[in-house]
Amino acid sequence: MCFFPLPLVILFAEHTGDNNAAHVDHANPHTFEAEDLQKLILKATHDLEELDRKRRRDFKQYEMEKEIHYRESLQNLTAEQRVEAEKKHEEVKQKHQKHNHINHPGSKHQLEEVWEQQDHMPKQEFDPKVFFQMHDVNGDGFLDQEEVEAVLSIEVKKLYNEKDPSYDKNEMIEEYHRMREHIYKEIDANHDGLISRKEFLDYTKSPEFEKDDGWKGIEEAPVYTNEELKHYEQQRQQLADHYAKYGAYQMPYHPMDAPPYGQPVYYQVGGG
């Protein structure tokens, strides 16, 4: 019996009623051939890559807005209040950077930690074949994005304390995505947006699998440069001047008004 990767099945189901679907052979609309599957995989991969590009762009804007909002909040303070606010801001940053070692996503150390702490298996019995089978939840022979992100919880939770309001849930969600993208970059050899059993096992036999270079979280490795922030501020000011001149209204931005955790759109910047 042939199993199609779940994300592809969903995409296929969504598009079967579309006469313009690029992955369907319109000369033979009643069957689903191997060539159709290949087209579907390419289309699904392209769609997922586009979603990731948009997500990274939106998150960068979110982080720059957050920094601008913090700087603006200092402007109306007295000198004494400003010193105190900057001190608290720095204390929070320092607290966030005090965490246990973050294993390199996809490394042997990282997967062994999942095997031992999440799967409750003896560390000395770590077996890549069994690991793959256990985490291929839908049994389709591939690790899809959700299945990969599910093995990253231990590392992400070292960086973020969900019960502490000083941690940004948007950043926590983005950390899952960043780690997942990194794993795909290293393991997804044919770049089809899925990790096959062969790709996974081949990687576990490579020298890279044994390395653990650690991982820097978003607060330790900002997603924008000073030049990008400066350019964004200029564009932002031009937009504000335009609104002021023509009387348009812009909803205020509040970085801490994070969208509900788990929503598909994570980075809400500005208004409608």
Side-chain angles (χ1 to χ4, degrees), residues 10 14 81 105 113 123 142 146 167 172 178 199 202 206 217 239 250-251:
I10 293 172
E14 289 175 347
Q81 290 172 329
E113 197 166 58
K123 184 176 181 179
F142 298 86
E146 290 184 2
Y167 289 88
M172 181 182 72
R178 290 174 69 238
E199 286 173 327
D202 285 349
S206 70
L239 188 61
Q250 183 183 31
M251 292 289 288

Side-chain angles (χ1 to χ4, degrees), residues 7-187:
L8 302 184
V9 172
I10 293 172
L11 283 170
F12 175 64
E14 289 175 347
H15 289 294
T16 47
D18 181 2
N19 291 330
N20 296 316
H23 58 268
V24 175
D25 181 0
H26 300 294
N28 189 18
H30 303 296
T31 61
F32 189 64
E33 308 292 345
E35 186 177 347
D36 293 318
L37 176 59
Q38 184 60 33
K39 290 179 181 179
L40 178 56
I41 291 173
L42 292 174
K43 178 68 168 61
T45 301
H46 177 269
D47 289 348
L48 292 172
E49 288 174 349
E50 186 58 36
L51 286 172
D52 277 333
R53 278 193 291 270
K54 182 180 185 303
R55 189 207 80 244
R56 288 192 296 268
R57 182 196 67 202
D58 290 350
F59 182 73
K60 179 182 287 189
Q61 183 179 355
Y62 171 82
E63 286 288 284
M64 291 190 291
E65 283 284 354
K66 187 176 173 181
E67 176 62 22
I68 292 170
H69 179 81
Y70 164 67
R71 294 181 184 184
E72 290 177 345
S73 72
L74 299 176
Q75 293 177 1
N76 297 324
L77 301 179
T78 65
E80 184 178 350
Q81 290 172 329
R82 183 183 180 113
V83 169
E84 183 63 23
E86 289 176 336
K87 179 183 177 183
K88 288 183 178 179
H89 186 71
E90 186 60 30
E91 286 175 350
V92 169
K93 287 176 63 176
Q94 293 298 321
K95 179 179 73 171
H96 291 180
Q97 292 179 15
K98 290 181 180 179
H99 52 71
N100 293 332
H101 173 74
I102 310 300
N103 292 310
H104 189 76
S107 68
K108 184 177 182 181
H109 287 166
Q110 190 255 318
L111 298 189
E112 283 182 336
E113 197 166 58
V114 173
W115 174 269
E116 184 178 18
Q117 297 184 24
Q118 188 171 316
D119 301 334
H120 307 292
M121 300 286 281
K123 184 176 181 179
Q124 65 274 15
E125 296 179 12
F126 176 74
D127 184 335
K129 294 179 182 178
V130 176
F131 184 93
F132 184 93
Q133 185 175 0
M134 290 175 66
H135 292 278
D136 176 20
V137 179
N138 61 10
D140 63 2
F142 298 86
L143 295 180
D144 60 32
Q145 294 195 11
E146 290 184 2
E147 289 167 338
V148 170
E149 290 188 9
V151 303
L152 296 171
S153 294
I154 293 174
E155 303 308 319
V156 173
K157 288 178 180 178
K158 292 176 186 176
L159 288 165
Y160 299 92
N161 180 355
E162 293 183 75
K163 296 180 181 179
D164 185 338
S166 72
Y167 289 88
D168 189 329
K169 287 187 177 180
N170 285 327
E171 291 180 355
M172 181 182 72
I173 293 170
E174 178 64 13
E175 204 72 67
Y176 277 103
H177 294 321
R178 290 174 69 238
M179 290 183 179
R180 181 256 303 164
E181 286 182 308
H182 183 77
I183 288 177
Y184 270 82
K185 184 178 179 180
E186 293 197 336
I187 305 179

Side-chain angles (χ1 to χ4, degrees), residues 201-215:
L201 296 180
D202 285 349
Y203 183 75
T204 62
K205 298 171 186 175
S206 70
E208 287 75 17
F209 183 61
E210 301 289 338
K211 296 178 182 177
D212 184 3
D213 299 326
W215 181 263

